Amino acid sequence: MTELHRQQHDHLDRLQQDYARVLAEHRYDGVLLYSGRPARHFGDDQHASFSAYGHFVHWTGQASLAHSWLLVRPGEPPTLYLYAPADFWHLPARLPEEPWVARFRVELRDTPEPPPLPRGRYAVLGEASPAMAQALGAAANPPALVAALDELRVRKSDYEVACLRKANRRALAGHRAARDAFLAGGAELDIQLAYLGAARQRESELPYANIVGVNAHGGVLHYQHYDLEPPGKRHSLLLDGGCRHRGYCADITRTWPGPDAAPEFAPLVEGLTALQQRLIAGLAPGGSFVALQRRLHEGLATLLVEQQLVNASAEAVLESGLTRAFCPHGLGHLLGVQVHDVAGRVDAEGRPLPPPAEHPSLRLTRELEAGMVVTMEPGLYLIPMLLEAHRHRPEVAWRRLEALADHGGIRIEDNVLVTAEGPVNLTSREG
């Protein structure tokens, strides 16, 4: 048995103990987790890409198992009802030959319907309709129970951290190959294909659709296309690319100047990278992520002044709200079996913690705790529709900004483990 397998056994032990406690607190005899089903395109016989329900993946690490069920009961091994019908059109699902499988009772099934439940009080979680749960005599996604189980995913086990490290290594291999493809003159599609090949992951298995923004496309926060032809000039590449390993997600962003970049661009990339590293150093148990969000904007104001994009004091830039036009998104979020992992906006009692009014896109508002893995992703973008509202400001160096308009934007993102001894960056700086 490898060290990873031993860590996985410990992870499963902890899950069994935690589920037993939560189920007892909420007076349930057990919970049935549904992996989910791929959605079919309307009027078609083709399905969309699929990823299993997070709580199912938390136990099994299997993000591609559809139509399967996991019954968890205190004092009993979990029962995995694996949908694996005899089929010559498709290869039936199968489990890996690994030690963790022996921890489960596995029952192969040829129907996607839910299994019957034993006597008692049960809940069904996942993409299960109230009618389906009612037919089983169970509750469908009771909010209090779901919130309590969400909380179990906030602090990562050693096994989960190991999986996240591996996902980061594979994603970084993709980033390096993508950078090389860009510098060699490739189009966005060429860059994406180079990424997939180096990360050894097919597109439908990625935790999210990679963002490959060349030039001005880097200023579209969730840019969703891949140009087939290379640009005439290569100013910049913003690549937000992930990878999934044993169900766990990497979420990394890098920005590189191209051979045709304006001389002002590289210092901005370097300045934002330095700011990101200072923000990472501030990650500690008990710290406020909302306070870090404010520090992000303080740092942006200073960078804008230092790089002569705004001719005013950093304090005046911050007070004016101008930095939010350059970075409208949040600093980061929880990371795990989902990219935007659960429980980022609740307190320890499960009560909502909405983002501050000035930062409505912030996905993580709770106090930091040891064991959390968070992304840290400051950005600096040239987004015309946001900057236009500040066109009346004479302190903004509009000519310098116009020289950078074709560069789109900058985002630097790492995945970081919060510990009592200090932050542990799971994303190597060599990317």
Side-chain angles (χ1 to χ4, degrees):
M1 186 181 293
T2 67
E3 177 64 20
L4 183 67
H5 292 146
R6 282 189 287 271
Q7 290 174 333
Q8 190 173 17
H9 274 285
D10 292 342
H11 171 74
L12 292 172
D13 285 342
R14 191 178 90 172
L15 274 182
Q16 288 182 308
Q17 295 165 7
D18 288 344
Y19 264 62
R21 173 180 54 80
V22 169
L23 290 170
E25 289 171 354
H26 292 264
R27 300 181 179 178
Y28 286 96
D29 295 301
V31 62
L32 183 64
L33 306 177
Y34 180 37
S35 69
R37 58 181 180 269
R40 180 177 291 179
H41 297 300
F42 181 75
D44 200 345
D45 63 355
Q46 300 297 306
H47 293 82
S49 296
F50 170 76
S51 181
Y53 179 45
H55 288 303
F56 180 92
V57 179
H58 197 203
W59 279 89
T60 67
Q62 305 297 299
S64 62
L65 288 183
H67 303 297
S68 296
W69 303 82
L70 183 66
L71 177 62
V72 180
R73 292 183 291 169
E76 299 283 344
T79 302
L80 175 57
Y81 298 95
L82 179 65
Y83 179 63
D87 187 0
F88 57 82
W89 290 102
H90 305 94
L91 184 68
R94 53 190 174 189
L95 298 175
E97 295 182 2
E98 294 187 358
W100 69 266
V101 176
R103 298 284 301 267
F104 293 72
R105 293 175 181 154
V106 179
E107 182 177 317
L108 301 182
R109 307 183 84 232
D110 61 3
T111 174
E113 298 303 314
L117 290 173
R119 292 176 61 86
R121 185 170 185 250
Y122 289 85
V124 179
L125 270 57
E127 193 185 2
S129 68
M132 179 186 293
Q134 185 177 15
L136 293 169
N141 296 303
L145 178 61
V146 172
L149 297 181
D150 285 350
E151 191 66 21
L152 300 182
R153 286 165 47 188
V154 171
R155 291 157 293 278
K156 302 299 186 288
S157 65
D158 290 343
Y159 168 72
E160 293 177 283
V161 172
C163 292
L164 288 163
R165 283 185 189 277
K166 180 65 174 180
N168 267 261
R169 286 197 294 269
R170 292 176 62 187
L172 280 172
H175 275 267
R176 289 189 287 268
R179 174 197 59 199
D180 293 345
F182 166 65
L183 295 177
E188 289 172 347
L189 180 61
D190 301 313
I191 296 167
Q192 168 72 344
L193 294 175
Y195 183 99
L196 296 173
R200 307 302 295 165
Q201 194 138 88
R202 60 189 294 183
E203 206 160 45
S204 60
E205 294 173 330
L206 294 175
Y208 58 93
N210 284 356
I211 298 167
V212 183
V214 171
N215 296 346
H217 291 162
V220 182
L221 298 184
H222 285 171
Y223 175 64
Q224 71 275 39
H225 305 293
Y226 304 122
D227 275 355
L228 304 184
E229 299 298 328
K233 291 189 175 182
R234 289 169 287 149
H235 301 292
S236 64
L237 168 64
L238 186 153
L239 174 63
D240 189 335
C243 189
R244 194 189 293 274
H245 179 71
R246 300 176 77 94
Y248 288 85
C249 306
D251 180 7
I252 302 170
T253 309
R254 293 289 184 265
T255 305
W256 294 283
D260 301 308
E264 299 91 342
F265 189 68
L268 285 172
V269 175
E270 293 165 4
L272 191 70
T273 301
L275 171 59
Q276 188 234 25
Q277 292 298 293
R278 293 196 298 273
L279 292 168
I280 288 175
L283 289 171
S288 165
F289 207 79
V290 174
L292 283 172
Q293 174 78 15
R294 296 192 177 107
R295 284 182 56 192
L296 157 64
H297 284 270
E298 292 169 359
L300 279 179
T302 299
L303 182 59
L304 291 170
V305 171
E306 289 177 347
Q307 297 300 318
Q308 301 178 11
L309 295 179
V310 183
N311 299 311
S313 69
E315 293 77 11
V317 174
L318 189 65
E319 181 67 24
S320 72
L322 181 59
T323 58
R324 292 194 291 276
F326 285 95
C327 184
H329 61 69
L331 175 59
H333 50 80
L334 293 175
L335 183 71
V337 295
Q338 289 174 267
V339 175
H340 300 142
D341 216 358
V342 292
R345 284 181 172 174
V346 295
D347 64 14
E349 305 301 321
R351 295 171 298 201
L353 281 172
E358 66 270 27
H359 305 297
S361 297
L362 184 59
R363 298 178 187 270
L364 178 54
T365 55
R366 61 188 290 167
E367 185 178 284
L368 293 168
E369 300 176 46
M372 287 181 172
V373 174
V374 301
T375 66
M376 296 293 279
E377 48 182 306
L380 196 166
Y381 311 91
L382 289 304
I383 304 175
M385 67 178 293
L386 298 183
L387 291 174
E388 192 59 35
H390 299 272
R391 180 63 70 168
H392 63 284
R393 296 185 181 278
E395 68 270 28
V396 177
W398 293 108
R399 287 188 179 179
R400 288 177 68 83
L401 289 181
E402 287 163 5
L404 292 166
D406 289 339
H407 298 63
I410 306 163
R411 184 162 64 250
I412 308 296
E413 179 181 17
D414 288 358
N415 307 160
V416 186
L417 172 67
V418 180
T419 79
E421 293 74 34
V424 177
N425 194 334
L426 305 179
T427 310
S428 167
R429 297 309 308 166
E430 60 190 61

